[in-house]
Amino acid sequence: LHTVVLKEGIESLPLGIFTYCGIKHIFLPDSLKEIKFEALMGVDEDMVVHCSKGSFAEKWAKEYGYRVQHGRTSLTEFLNDALTESKLIK
């Protein structure tokens, strides 16, 4: 599990939901108001939190030292960028 996209309307992440999942990118909606302690325990420090500027998710990510990416709320945009940046090996 490398990329997680949570839909708008989700307000809380429960305890241990993504513990030790190896997430590299997580897209958090503006509706999110709570992330329970240890919801993301064991996730690498290099995980990128994709969220809106000024959102609860941004404040949470900064508090816990995660990198924040603004304005990339579309998974399609994220995947297109990833494909553009990748190189084919022959």
Side-chain angles (χ1 to χ4, degrees):
L1 185 62
H2 292 275
T3 302
V4 173
V5 180
L6 299 175
K7 292 184 178 186
E8 192 63 40
I10 293 173
E11 294 185 358
S12 179
L13 292 183
L15 176 76
I17 188 167
F18 296 119
T19 299
Y20 297 105
C21 285
I23 297 171
K24 297 295 182 192
H25 296 270
I26 188 165
F27 291 77
L28 298 175
D30 290 342
S31 59
L32 193 65
K33 296 177 183 164
E34 176 184 47
I35 298 176
K36 298 280 188 176
F37 181 71
E38 296 181 350
L40 291 153
M41 185 174 81
V43 173
D44 289 338
E45 293 176 2
D46 64 344
M47 178 181 72
V48 179
V49 176
H50 300 266
C51 59
S52 297
K53 192 169 189 154
S55 65
F56 168 82
E58 178 191 41
K59 293 172 190 162
W60 174 86
K62 288 181 176 181
E63 181 180 339
Y64 287 93
Y66 293 110
R67 293 184 296 155
V68 174
Q69 180 75 49
H70 296 118
R72 296 179 84 180
T73 56
S74 166
L75 181 58
T76 303
E77 288 176 25
F78 169 75
L79 292 174
N80 284 339
D81 288 349
L83 290 172
T84 301
E85 294 170 5
S86 66
K87 297 180 181 179
L88 295 175
I89 299 173
K90 293 184 179 183

